[in-house]
Amino acid sequence: MPRRSKVLSGTLVASALLLASIGIGTVAANADTPAASAPASAAHTGHTMAVSTASSPEDPDGDGYIPANPPVTGVTPSTKEPPHRYFHEFQANCGVSHTAPDDPIVYAQQPGKSHDHTFMGNTTTNAYSTTASLDAGSTTCLAPGDRSGYWMPTMYDGDRPVLPVGPQTIYYKAGVTDYTSVRPFPKGLRYVVASPMQSAQEFRDHPGFVEGWECGDSFFNVDFPADCPERQDVQINIRFQAPSCWDGKNLDTPDHKSHMAYPVVNPGTNNNVCPADHPVALPMIEFKMAFPVNGDLSRVRLASGASYSFHYDFFNAWDEPTLAAMVGHCIVGGLQCDARGYDQTHPEAGAALNEDYELP
């Protein structure tokens, strides 16, 4: 099981959301992009995981494997114990850009085939997205160098989309004890975390489960909490961690998961290490999402189905020098950084990025 974060959730202030003001329900201009999300009543109930009728241009033979070029070889899982640091992380703060029934990982080149997703980060993400198209796109993240795509099933209160307001917290952490062994994501890596088809028990037992659904003083819920105070400072939250050990060979695999694995406990110790068949330690992403809804949650659902169908997708399109600077300074450096790579408890360490969130 991966080490759980001990960072306490801060007070989250709910705000009124004017959907039209940021164009929710539409995607960035693209001639190949559907103009609007499917209405809630027509939303898919989940990924059927049927045989795809198309594949990404990055997978020309259509076998589902996208090999890394070059692959990472000669790596064994690190069992070292560096000096203890309570934190080794930084934040990517990214706002919602659009919603659409697209998924460029599961349903590449097939617009409208997915249930509705809420997209953060890259503003151009759609069914046709590739590493190159994301690399050329813009972003809602504070760091302009983070052009990655992040998405999750859209939440609804009845037929009304409930979309996170403002920059959301996406942690990049060390999932292994040897935080000095963590290296940046390879460009174009993509994966799906959890499954829209999972049962309630599978959701609860998932190695990425941190606090489940929480609201007010109600934590560790599989279902949306029934007791959710109707106050301005209360929202539904979820925290869920991604696998952080890579096989070093593939940027994607047919099930969009097998090239990644969660850390395991090194026998005879309390240390987390990568398994032998996934020896490359990468940052562990943790979604910490806040949805502006409270009070009566009886009509709240996800586009993918029940509360326990929560899952998310990640498609790496970071500027490589920027990501390397953030990983090296904050994760390898054992700091608790904000989106600039600055740790306010260690001002002497400086920041990885300048005041514009770019490399100095």
Side-chain angles (χ1 to χ4, degrees):
M1 295 287 287
R3 179 178 300 167
R4 300 305 187 199
S5 169
K6 303 297 184 183
V7 181
L8 296 178
S9 301
T11 301
L12 296 163
V13 181
S15 304
L17 183 64
L18 299 176
L19 302 185
S21 67
I22 59 172
I24 296 302
T26 62
V27 294
N30 185 310
D32 294 325
T33 304
S37 304
S41 60
H44 295 252
T45 56
H47 293 312
T48 62
M49 308 309 278
V51 177
S52 177
T53 57
S55 61
S56 168
E58 296 172 276
D59 176 23
D61 61 4
D63 66 353
Y65 291 92
I66 300 177
N69 185 20
V72 175
T73 59
V75 176
T76 56
S78 176
T79 57
K80 294 179 182 177
E81 295 187 38
H84 176 71
R85 295 288 187 274
Y86 194 70
F87 298 107
H88 10 69
E89 64 185 41
F90 67 89
Q91 294 183 21
N93 295 136
C94 307
V96 171
S97 60
H98 60 281
T99 67
D102 287 358
D103 189 323
I105 297 178
V106 178
Y107 293 121
Q109 308 289 298
Q110 299 169 85
K113 191 168 183 179
S114 172
H115 55 249
D116 203 69
H117 282 112
T118 294
F119 291 87
M120 296 166 290
N122 201 296
T123 61
T124 70
T125 312
N126 61 40
Y128 298 97
S129 292
T130 63
T131 304
S133 73
L134 293 177
D135 201 37
S138 58
T139 184
T140 64
C141 301
L142 293 183
D146 185 5
R147 295 184 288 273
S148 301
Y150 307 90
W151 62 96
M152 58 190 172
T154 299
M155 178 183 286
Y156 292 97
D157 184 4
D159 289 337
R160 178 182 68 86
V162 179
L163 304 172
V165 179
Q168 296 300 293
T169 301
I170 301 170
Y171 289 110
Y172 280 59
K173 304 182 174 189
V176 293
T177 298
D178 183 10
Y179 55 88
T180 68
S181 69
V182 176
R183 64 180 69 195
F185 290 116
K187 197 73 163 280
L189 181 75
R190 67 210 73 181
Y191 54 75
V192 179
V193 182
S195 168
M197 310 304 291
Q198 66 205 351
S199 68
Q201 192 61 49
E202 287 169 334
F203 176 66
R204 179 63 184 87
D205 294 340
H206 197 282
F209 187 98
V210 180
E211 293 178 358
W213 294 102
E214 57 183 39
C215 189
D217 295 325
S218 181
F219 300 89
F220 300 103
N221 296 289
V222 169
D223 296 311
F224 295 128
D227 183 17
C228 189
E230 192 168 355
R231 301 199 318 259
Q232 269 198 331
D233 62 340
V234 173
Q235 301 186 71
I236 294 179
N237 302 279
I238 191 168
R239 294 174 62 181
F240 210 91
Q241 293 177 337
S244 59
C245 297
W246 179 43
D247 67 7
K249 303 173 184 176
N250 299 292
L251 301 178
D252 197 10
T253 42
D255 66 355
H256 315 296
K257 296 180 181 182
S258 297
H259 54 309
M260 300 296 297
Y262 285 88
V264 296
V265 175
N266 191 25
T269 74
N270 290 319
N271 295 339
N272 294 324
V273 299
C274 283
D277 56 355
H278 291 74
V280 184
L282 301 177
M284 174 176 277
I285 285 180
E286 179 182 310
F287 267 29
K288 182 181 177 184
M289 301 290 113
F291 300 87
V293 64
N294 54 35
D296 179 10
L297 304 183
S298 62
R299 300 176 73 238
V300 173
R301 60 185 174 84
L302 299 177
S304 52
S307 57
Y308 48 81
S309 70
F310 181 81
H311 58 290
Y312 61 88
D313 302 56
F314 170 66
F315 195 143
N316 175 45
W318 273 88
D319 169 69
E320 292 174 280
T322 304
L323 180 59
M326 292 291 284
V327 170
H329 186 70
C330 301
I331 297 180
V332 175
L335 299 174
Q336 184 184 25
C337 295
D338 60 15
R340 278 189 61 214
Y342 178 75
D343 184 343
Q344 62 181 359
T345 64
H346 290 282
E348 75 284 356
L353 306 179
N354 63 24
E355 292 181 358
D356 296 321
Y357 299 89
E358 297 180 320
L359 287 172

